Amino acid sequence: MIPFSPPRIDEKNIEAVIEVLKSGWITTGPKTQLFEQKIKSYTGAQEVLCLNSATAGLELVLRWFGVEKGDEVIVPAYTYAATANVVIHCGATPVFVDSAPNHYNLDIEQLESLITDKTKVIIPVDVGGFPCDYDKIFEIVTSEKQVKKFKPQTPEQEKLGRVLILSDAAHSLGAWYKGKRTGILADMTVFSFHAVKNLTTAEGGAICINLPSSFDPSEVYKHLRLLSLHGQSKDALAKLTGNWEYDILLPGYKYNMTDIQATIGLVELERYDSDMLPRRKQIFSLYDLFLQQNSSIKTPLYKDEFRETSYHLYQIQIPGITEEKRNEYIKKIMDKGVSVNVHFKPLPMMSFYKTQGYQIQHYPNAYRLYTQEISLPVYYTLTDEQVSMVSKTLNQVIP
Ligand SMILES: *Cc1c(COP(=O)(O)O)cnc(C)c1O
């Protein structure tokens, strides 16, 4: 069986983990601090906070911005549950936006009509690693009309004076948009280092801060860090080297990254541009080559005049087919020994969201893109022969 997306584990990251285990310091400490610095220089962000997941990062940003009951947060219908669940955790209401007609990413044309005086945040998702058009999103939220509509209720909201753009970049570390990397395309950006993501620490995530000059990024970093560790005035390392006594400044959460995770991340980030991204790019090109002869398959858009993907998901479309037909194809492909996947079943189709009154009929593009989608295996150790085999299987199954 060709797996879908196994993590790349080799001697280098195994050695690094052993070193941390033997060092006597396994929780948040020097490796996590170093990993934050490295992500900061990689992305150009003002500050970076590492956490135990992207979900934690999304939630912390919403908490920091004061999102609560009565507020609305605009999220794409076409995403993983994390993007919307965190809005529910805060007691606020997710307002779904449909995908663009020809791409999984949210339809920017529909944003204007969805923003109300309750909207506090928009969470664009870079689906598959392809960045959203952030300039266009900012153009809307900074327009005089939308700024007037914004009703600040916390000091942070007052300071920003408009809807916050929080990028869910769980897929898009290393992607490009107009000469900039993800991490500095939105006010706040959250990466995921979950086991299936391009860069993994087993589980993990990071918040990149890129706020306007009305904010002090180091203050925001300190506050988010406090929120991530029970509001405790000193972390374990600071207690060890100083006075034992600490205070609880606010009722925070427990979202910190461990040094075991960070050390894997350090190994992976070091070789991300030189090794991981080029190999994924090659795999994309090979799929393009092998599948373009099949007129039933539409290969994905992952590069245009101002954007380039992080090569996270190779998402094909089979135009005109039903959900049942797609699932039938997937079964046949799996039976031939190839693991494929679907990204994503839109959230308005999920039981919980249905009970909240959301209906998929209101998101026709997301529904169509979902019913016709199959994601193919992409991972570092996938060989050219395996890419060829996967393609052959697809060309056999999908006439
Ligand atoms: C994986 C994923 C997340 C959540 O990441 P975790 O690190 O597992 O919390 C959020 N959004 C999207 C789009 C994802 O694919």
Side-chain angles (χ1 to χ4, degrees), residues 53-55 79-80 82-83 125 168 170-171 192 194 197 204 344:
S53 72
T55 306
T79 184
Y80 179 61
T83 323
V125 179
D168 179 339
H171 298 177
S192 172
H194 177 270
K197 303 289 156 66
F344 291 97

Side-chain angles (χ1 to χ4, degrees), residues 76-247:
Y78 206 94
T79 184
Y80 179 61
T83 323
N85 283 358
V86 293
V87 178
I88 303 275
H89 295 168
C90 293
T93 306
V95 172
F96 289 122
V97 54
D98 200 3
S99 298
N102 56 357
H103 198 275
Y104 308 97
N105 285 350
L106 60 82
D107 188 2
I108 293 170
E109 306 299 321
Q110 296 186 30
L111 279 180
E112 186 113 50
S113 65
L114 295 173
I115 300 173
T116 72
D117 60 0
K118 294 177 183 158
T119 309
K120 291 297 187 303
V121 181
I122 299 173
I123 314 184
V125 179
D126 300 337
V127 181
F130 194 63
C132 296
D133 194 344
Y134 288 94
D135 281 358
K136 277 201 176 151
I137 297 171
F138 272 100
E139 208 175 286
I140 293 169
V141 299
T142 56
S143 71
E144 200 179 326
K145 181 177 157 204
Q146 297 302 343
V147 168
K148 261 193 198 148
K149 209 189 273 175
F150 185 70
K151 292 224 162 40
Q153 285 163 321
T154 67
E156 285 72 24
Q157 293 173 11
E158 197 81 55
K159 235 186 229 181
L160 191 66
R162 58 163 169 83
V163 170
L164 180 89
I165 306 302
L166 164 56
S167 165
D168 179 339
H171 298 177
S172 61
L173 178 73
W176 291 97
Y177 175 84
K178 299 186 180 175
K180 290 189 218 166
R181 277 192 201 283
T182 50
I184 54 167
L185 305 179
D187 297 311
M188 298 288 223
T189 299
V190 172
F191 294 125
S192 172
F193 309 130
H194 177 270
V196 301
K197 303 289 156 66
N198 279 15
L199 188 155
T200 186
T201 62
E203 295 279 357
I207 302 173
C208 295
I209 300 171
N210 180 54
L211 289 164
S213 56
S214 50
F215 290 89
D216 176 351
S218 68
E219 285 302 313
V220 177
Y221 169 85
K222 276 185 208 149
H223 186 83
L224 289 168
R225 206 173 115 110
L226 208 58
L227 271 179
S228 75
L229 229 173
H230 285 301
Q232 192 173 303
S233 61
K234 287 179 191 167
D235 67 11
L237 196 65
K239 274 163 59 184
L240 188 80
T241 52
N243 191 334
W244 71 269
E245 193 169 2
Y246 62 89
D247 194 11

